[in-house]
Every structure is written in structure tokens, then in C-alpha cells.
Amino acid sequence: MKARTASASQPVRESALAERFALFAECLLTGVWIALASIPLVTLPAAFAAGSRHLRRRTAHVGGGWREFAADFRSAVRRGWIVGAAGWAAALVGWVDVQAVRAGLPGGPLVGAVGLSALIGAAVAGLRAAAAWEPGASWRRLLGAAARRTVLDPAGSFLLVGGLAVVACSAWFLPPLAVPVLGAVAAAALAVEERDRRR
């Protein structure tokens, strides 16, 4: 009887499979939150920063939900919207480069390749900066450090390029699927940053 009472008072630990599935489900939910917070478009970096911070709390088994995500988003968007606007300006320049290639302008393929590579590098650096964001952090410093890590850690950067490709393919084949996948990309950025920190 005593043994049964002692075992009943012990907390029930979830299996590793259940924990991983719960984390996967949390990533999908976070993707929906990121998509909703990104509707104004310039808020995309701040949304990723809040989503990454939420997933960091989740993996550390610290409580947090929609309210904490919203508070982090409000904090990140104060200066993060400038980063978002700059990112969309860079995307516009990339689109112009693609149009130059399609128009057959001299040197167009070279300019297009350089422009596309720079755009992908900027997107990866932005994801890495968002994954490292903390309340009160300077976006300028985060982006500078993330740009260095993007170059010095090519394996992690290519992993994030793959994540961005998955989002693009999801949006191409089944647009609603791209929404929850955003959370998986935030989780990938978080994992890449953690891996880089432990090296």
C-alpha cells in the first residue's frame, strides 16, 4: 500500500516520443502565430524573434503562451520594423535583378546570381539574428553578429537555406501549409544558433 502511494505521488514523465511530438505541435502553432504577427509584412523579423523566444522557453520547459509571445512581439517590433522594411527593400532589389536577367541585359546573369546570393545570405542572417534576439537587444548588433556567423558557419547557414526552400515549396504547392512551417524554420534557426554557441 505504501509503495503504491509513493509511486502515485511521483510525477509522470512523458516518453521521449511524446515530448518530441509536443514540440513539433508547438512549432506548428508558433508558425501560425508568426504568420498572424507578420501580416503587416514589415513585422516579419519581430514575429520570428518572438516565435524563437517562445520556442526557446518551450524547450527549456518554462511556461509561456500567446500572452508571452505577444509581449515579446511588442518589444521586438519597436525597432524590428525597420529591419523588416530594409528586408523588403532588399527583396525588391532582388526582384529587379531577376527582371534584368529575364530581359537579357548584358551581364544580367552575373548580376542576378550575385543579387540572389546576397538576398539569401541576408535572409539567413535575419533568421539567425531573430533566433538570438532578447528583449532590449540591439537589432544592429544582432544582425552584425549574425552576418559573421552566417559566413563562418556555412553548414548551419545551408540548413536554414533548406528551411527557407521548404517554406517556398510549401507555399508553391499548398499555400496554407507554408503558415505552420514558419514555426519549423524558427525552430531550425534556434537549433543552428544553439549548435554554434556550443562549438
Side-chain angles (χ1 to χ4, degrees):
M1 186 78 161
K2 286 182 182 177
R4 189 177 293 173
T5 307
S7 65
S9 65
Q10 300 228 348
V12 178
R13 182 166 168 83
E14 291 182 341
S15 69
L17 181 64
E19 282 187 21
R20 288 181 184 140
F21 185 77
L23 181 59
F24 176 69
E26 196 70 33
C27 287
L28 299 182
L29 176 63
T30 303
V32 173
W33 292 352
I34 289 171
L36 289 173
S38 300
I39 288 175
L41 297 181
V42 294
T43 59
L44 187 60
F48 264 104
S52 296
R53 191 155 150 72
H54 169 73
L55 291 174
R56 198 178 312 130
R57 277 193 300 267
R58 175 65 177 87
T59 55
H61 300 287
V62 177
W66 170 253
R67 287 190 180 126
E68 287 78 5
F69 173 88
D72 285 338
F73 174 72
R74 283 192 300 272
S75 179
V77 82
R78 286 189 191 115
R79 299 271 183 209
W81 72 268
I82 298 169
V83 177
W88 285 108
L92 180 62
V93 170
W95 180 80
V96 170
D97 283 348
V98 169
Q99 296 308 312
V101 171
R102 293 179 71 190
L105 294 176
L110 177 63
V111 171
V114 170
L116 188 60
S117 298
L119 188 61
I120 290 171
V124 169
L127 280 173
R128 293 183 89 137
W133 178 85
E134 293 284 343
S138 163
W139 277 100
R140 181 180 293 176
R141 286 186 187 150
L142 286 172
L143 286 168
R148 285 190 293 279
R149 291 192 304 274
T150 298
V151 173
L152 297 175
D153 179 24
S157 298
F158 282 121
L159 177 66
L160 291 179
V161 169
L164 292 171
V166 167
V167 172
C169 290
S170 301
W172 181 264
F173 292 119
L174 190 61
L177 188 60
V179 171
V181 171
L182 290 173
V185 173
L190 203 58
V192 165
E193 287 300 292
E194 183 64 22
R195 172 184 161 273
D196 187 67
R197 189 181 66 79
R198 290 185 180 183
R199 283 185 352 174

